[in-house]
Structures are given as C-alpha cells and as structure tokens.
C-alpha cells in the first residue's frame, strides 16, 4: 500500500504563506507511535508568529482529544502496520549500475549536503535558499522527512507540493544543475518507506534521467574521489512493539553489500579518497552509536574514510574514531538542516573526541533555546576536497581542506570561523 499521492488537485487558489514553527517539531520522539501522535497534535490553522511559543508548552497533549486520537490510531494502523516497501536495487538492464561519473566546471565540482531538512520550517526554507546561492552541481539530502515521511508529508515538506490538509507553505528540496539525490532515513521508514521509494526517488536523480533516482544507495566518483551514499534507514525500524525492546542496528541491506562487492569493488590499491554518506551516525559523543554498518564496511576499507551523517540535530566535527570491528572514520554530523537544533548537553554520553560543535544560540521569535540550522558545502578540485559548514544566515562556521594521495586522506587545514565563538 503506497498511500495517497501528494497532489495539488484540491489545493486552494492561493497556498498559505505561513511556514511551520520550530516549536511544532521540538522534542519529537523517535518512537513511531508517538511520532504519529505528535503529527495529529498540531494545529489545523497556522498561528501567528507574533504569538510565539512559550517554553514548557505541551502540544502533544492535543493528540488525545477524541477526534485527533481516532485519526492518530487509524493513520498509525494504515501506514505503520504491514510489510515495508520492497528494497529497490539496480537490475542493470538499462545500464544503470548506480555508479555515476561526477560532472562539474573549471572551478571544481560543488555538492551541497544537508540532513534532517524535510520539516517545512521557516529555517528549512532559509537553508534551501543558501544552498541555491552556492550554485551546486549536486544536492544530497541525508534523510528524514517529518513527521513520519508518508506520501502527503513527502509532498509538502520535500517535493514542494501544497496539500490543503497542511496549513503551511510547501517546501521543495533544491536541485543541483547535474542532479539531486536523497538518502533514506528512519522517519521515512515510519510509513514503511512508501513515501520515500514511490514519491521521492522518481523525482530526483541525475539531470535528464528517465526514471529518477533508482535506489536508496549510489556512488559518485571521479579520478580522485569516490562518494558512497548508503542506506542505514531501511533497517532502522523493526516490528511494532518489539522495536521498543530491541533497538534496530541500522544494518546495511544484503543487496547493498553485494552491490559493493560486485559493482563498486573497492580495492586496497585504489588511490582515490573515500567519502561515505549515511543518515545514521557511526559514533557520537551525545547520542546512540550505530557500529553495525561500519563493521560491514570493514570488508572493503582498511584506510580511514571521511563520513558525513545526519540523524542527530546538530553540527559536530569529530576526530579520528573507530569502534571494535569497524572502519576508522573522520565523522561529521550535519543533521541540522531543518529541525530544532540541539545544544550540547552538560554531560556527554561518550568520550569520542569532538573538535568542534556549533554551540551558538539561534535568536528566534519563538523564545526557544536552540542552535543554528545549516548545511555543508563540498567542493572537489583534483585531489583536494574542501568542506565549508554554513548556517542558515550564510555565515561560514567551520572550514576544512582535505587532500588525498595514494588513497590516504590528510587534512591540510581546519578553521573555526570567528563568528562561531
């Protein structure tokens, strides 16, 4: 069951101008049942920004009113109960293997990356505008469309299709001149992946592609770099009830591993630098760690890689790290695309080295104590890779320059911007 098509057929002549408040998404649970409840707790009509949300409000209590409780339960049963969308793979019949040659200009190849952007918040709109100003050749979303990634939410919060059931202005993921891609996140899988596989993927992919983005994993490469986008979202959701007691390990699907073996075929003597993209984090100083994908990747990579992920709603630059049985990686958390950004806790959960965390408080008209939203600008020029981490106001917060030689990564430069404190 794929659910309803995101369509503008019933749209009013003039879509609303109001954008979703950050308050509507603050404290969102990763529980599927509670995420559905939170969705139905939201107001049916936009409230004025002038009437800013006050800390301490409990909007989720509205879900327990009789009419909303019934809709909550019906929708949870409709989208959550049943088989997941079949995992899509490359069949190779049309020559599409999921390995694509990077294209760009004389000044380099520009790639914009953001995680947890699919919210429809005013901050997500601003991040999208900054991405467009970067003039990227490629844009890549690292996953999560909220609240539950069903077809209607995918339309409103990612594809820019207004739906009269949402009293907020629709938000569209920006496209690069050569293509746009999206990874699978745990929130897309809260609706069993139908919104993601059936509605997002056909709209993305390389410029001119007749079928859109074929699957939830792919490789972009040139003579110096390989960028591997992997799906940690598909196995991030387990069976209802059971998943509350046994947390899914976000393992990479077997079909993806076989694709790495048979198609990508990483070699120990490959002189290119490896960049991995995923939704879930490998390591974290502040949240749960997911070592299983890194353990699966140990079959293919013996040298350190650069790994960018989302899931946690913050910007954090990690030092070199590894977990038992897993690859060694320089992790970068960029899950601050559109959700309320979490500030660093007073007592971190783990002792992984963090070189930089954006701890600035974002001034907002909702009286929320949250951090700055933003995204990452990646530029490839020969053997050099630069990463600029930019906030929603267009300010560069952190800059780093990487080089690769004989497959080994070296960071030549890492700079914290003065405005980041």
């Amino acid at each position: 069951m794929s659910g309803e098509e995101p369509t503008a057929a019933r749209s009013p002549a003039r879509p609303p101008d109001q954008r979703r408040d950050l308050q509507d998404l603050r404290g969102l649970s990763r529980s599927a049942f509670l995420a559905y409840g939170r969705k139905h707790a939201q107001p049916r009509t936009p409230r004025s920004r002038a009437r800013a949300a006050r800390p301490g409000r409990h909007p989720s209590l509205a879900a327990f009113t009789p009419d909303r409780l019934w809709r909550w339960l019906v929708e949870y049963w409709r989208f959550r109960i049943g088989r997941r969308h079949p995992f899509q793979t490359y069949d190779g019949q049309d020559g599409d293997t999921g390995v694509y040659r990077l294209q760009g200009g004389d000044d380099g190849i520009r790639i914009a990356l953001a995680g947890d952007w699919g919210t429809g918040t005013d901050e997500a709109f601003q991040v999208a505008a900054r991405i467009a100003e970067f003039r990227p050749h490629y844009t890549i979303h690292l996953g999560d469309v909220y609240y539950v990634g069903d077809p209607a939410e995918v339309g409103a919060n990612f594809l820019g299709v207004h739906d009269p059931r949402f009293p907020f202005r629709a938000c569209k993921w920006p496209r690069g001149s050569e293509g746009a891609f999206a990874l699978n996140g745990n929130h897309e899988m809260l609706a069993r992946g139908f919104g993601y596989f059936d509605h997002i993927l056909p709209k993305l992919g390389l410029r001119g592609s007749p079928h859109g983005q074929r699957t939830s994993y792919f490789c972009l490469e040139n003579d110096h770099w390989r960028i591997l986008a992997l799906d940690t979202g598909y196995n991030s959701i387990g069976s209802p009830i059971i998943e509350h007691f046994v947390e899914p390990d976000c393992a990479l699907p077997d079909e993806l591993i076989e694709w790495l073996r048979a198609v990508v075929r990483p070699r120990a003597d490959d002189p290119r630098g490896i960049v991995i993209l995923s939704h879930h984090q490998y390591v974290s100083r502040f949240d749960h760690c997911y070592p299983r994908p890194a353990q699966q990747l140990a079959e293919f990579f013996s040298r350190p890689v650069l790994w960018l992920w989302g899931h946690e709603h913050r910007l954090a630059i990690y030092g070199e790290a590894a977990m038992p049985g897993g690859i060694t990686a320089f992790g970068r958390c960029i899950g601050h695309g559109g959700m309320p950004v979490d500030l660093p806790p007073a007592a971190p959960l783990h002792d992984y080295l963090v070189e930089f965390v954006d701890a600035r408080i974002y001034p907002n008209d909702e009286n929320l104590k949250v951090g700055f939203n933003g995204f990452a600008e990646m530029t490839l020029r020969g053997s050099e890779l630069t990463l600029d981490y930019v906030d929603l106001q267009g300010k560069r917060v952190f800059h780093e320059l990487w080089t690769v030689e004989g497959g080994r990564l070296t960071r030549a430069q890492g700079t914290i911007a003065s405005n980041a404190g």
Side-chain angles (χ1 to χ4, degrees):
M1 179 177 64
S2 61
E4 296 182 26
E5 291 278 351
T7 175
R10 294 176 293 161
S11 299
R14 183 177 183 274
D17 292 328
Q18 177 72 22
R19 295 166 179 167
R20 185 181 295 279
D21 288 330
L22 284 173
Q23 174 67 52
D24 294 345
L25 293 146
R26 190 143 190 235
L28 181 62
S29 172
R30 289 175 182 158
S31 158
F33 187 71
L34 295 179
Y36 275 92
R38 185 66 176 271
K39 174 182 178 180
H40 287 287
Q42 301 314 308
R44 286 182 170 273
T45 56
R47 64 176 179 272
S48 169
R49 280 263 177 170
R51 289 179 282 138
R54 296 183 299 275
R57 292 185 61 204
H58 299 284
S60 58
L61 295 179
F64 291 95
T65 60
D67 62 325
R68 293 186 180 184
L69 177 61
W70 176 246
R71 291 197 305 271
W72 168 10
L73 296 176
V74 168
E75 188 167 299
Y76 179 82
W77 179 266
R78 178 188 177 196
F79 285 109
R80 185 71 185 92
I81 306 301
R83 292 181 179 273
R84 291 175 294 176
H85 190 287
F87 188 70
Q88 295 185 188
T89 61
Y90 298 98
D91 57 25
Q93 294 181 1
D94 58 359
D96 186 352
T97 64
V99 179
Y100 310 116
R101 182 77 179 179
L102 284 160
Q103 305 293 328
D106 295 337
D107 60 343
I109 300 168
R110 296 183 298 276
I111 304 171
L113 305 117
D116 301 76
W117 175 87
T119 59
T121 60
D122 190 40
E123 289 69 22
F125 274 85
Q126 293 181 62
V127 168
R130 302 292 84 75
I131 289 176
E133 291 169 357
F134 178 50
R135 297 183 299 110
H137 296 102
Y138 302 89
T139 58
I140 304 175
H141 184 233
L142 300 188
D144 267 5
V145 177
Y146 298 89
Y147 293 92
V148 297
D150 64 31
E153 288 186 336
V154 159
N157 295 338
F158 194 86
L159 298 177
V161 179
H162 175 63
D163 188 308
R165 290 169 292 183
F166 299 104
F168 305 102
R169 184 177 173 185
C171 196
K172 187 174 184 179
W173 176 250
R175 293 187 66 94
S177 61
E178 297 294 335
F181 296 87
L183 301 190
N184 192 12
N186 54 296
H187 278 266
E188 284 87 331
M189 293 307 298
L190 293 183
R192 296 182 287 128
F194 285 97
Y196 173 75
F197 286 105
D198 290 346
H199 299 287
I200 288 182
L201 293 193
K203 300 293 185 181
L204 302 184
L206 293 177
R207 181 184 61 179
S209 170
H211 51 67
Q213 181 181 331
R214 175 81 69 181
T215 72
S216 56
Y217 57 96
F218 55 90
C219 173
L220 301 174
E221 65 178 18
N222 62 15
D223 293 341
H224 300 277
W225 300 94
R226 300 190 99 178
I227 300 173
L228 288 169
L230 308 177
D231 186 345
T232 60
Y234 194 75
N235 289 322
S236 66
I237 298 297
S239 301
I241 301 177
I242 296 176
E243 66 188 0
H244 294 282
F245 301 97
V246 180
E247 184 168 3
D249 62 5
C250 299
L252 303 175
D254 292 341
E255 298 91 336
L256 192 160
I257 295 297
E258 182 56 32
W259 172 77
L260 287 172
R261 290 193 190 109
V263 178
V264 178
R265 292 182 290 182
R267 304 189 322 269
D269 61 348
D270 192 331
R272 291 174 290 186
I274 301 298
V275 180
I276 293 175
L277 308 177
S278 68
H279 178 68
H280 292 85
Q281 64 267 19
Y282 176 16
V283 299
S284 175
R285 185 172 173 83
F286 313 103
D287 206 331
H288 186 73
C289 299
Y290 295 92
R292 182 58 184 149
Q295 293 166 349
Q296 294 172 284
L297 293 175
E299 172 185 342
F300 307 103
F301 306 109
S302 58
R303 289 191 287 264
V305 303
L306 184 61
W307 193 334
L308 289 87
W309 57 66
H311 196 57
E312 290 184 68
H313 307 144
R314 58 171 51 91
L315 169 62
I317 308 297
Y318 285 87
E320 185 175 348
M323 296 186 72
I327 63 174
T328 300
F330 298 94
R332 276 86 182 98
C333 178
I334 56 169
H336 61 319
M339 285 288 286
V341 174
D342 297 325
L343 296 171
L349 295 179
H350 309 287
D351 60 357
Y352 293 105
L353 173 64
V354 174
E355 181 179 350
F356 171 73
V357 177
D358 189 0
R360 297 174 301 154
I361 297 177
Y362 166 56
N364 61 87
D365 58 5
E366 298 181 60
N367 298 326
L368 299 178
K369 190 174 182 180
V370 294
F372 275 77
N373 294 92
F375 71 106
E377 298 176 345
M378 178 185 291
T379 304
L380 308 178
R381 297 185 182 91
S383 62
E384 292 185 347
L385 180 154
T386 60
L387 275 166
D388 288 296
Y389 302 89
V390 180
D391 69 19
L392 77 172
Q393 297 174 344
K395 296 178 181 177
R396 187 174 70 179
V397 179
F398 190 88
H399 166 83
E400 54 184 342
L401 168 64
W402 292 85
T403 61
V404 61
E405 183 176 356
R408 297 188 179 278
L409 296 175
T410 301
R411 197 175 74 173
Q413 184 180 1
T415 306
I416 300 175
S418 60
N419 64 342

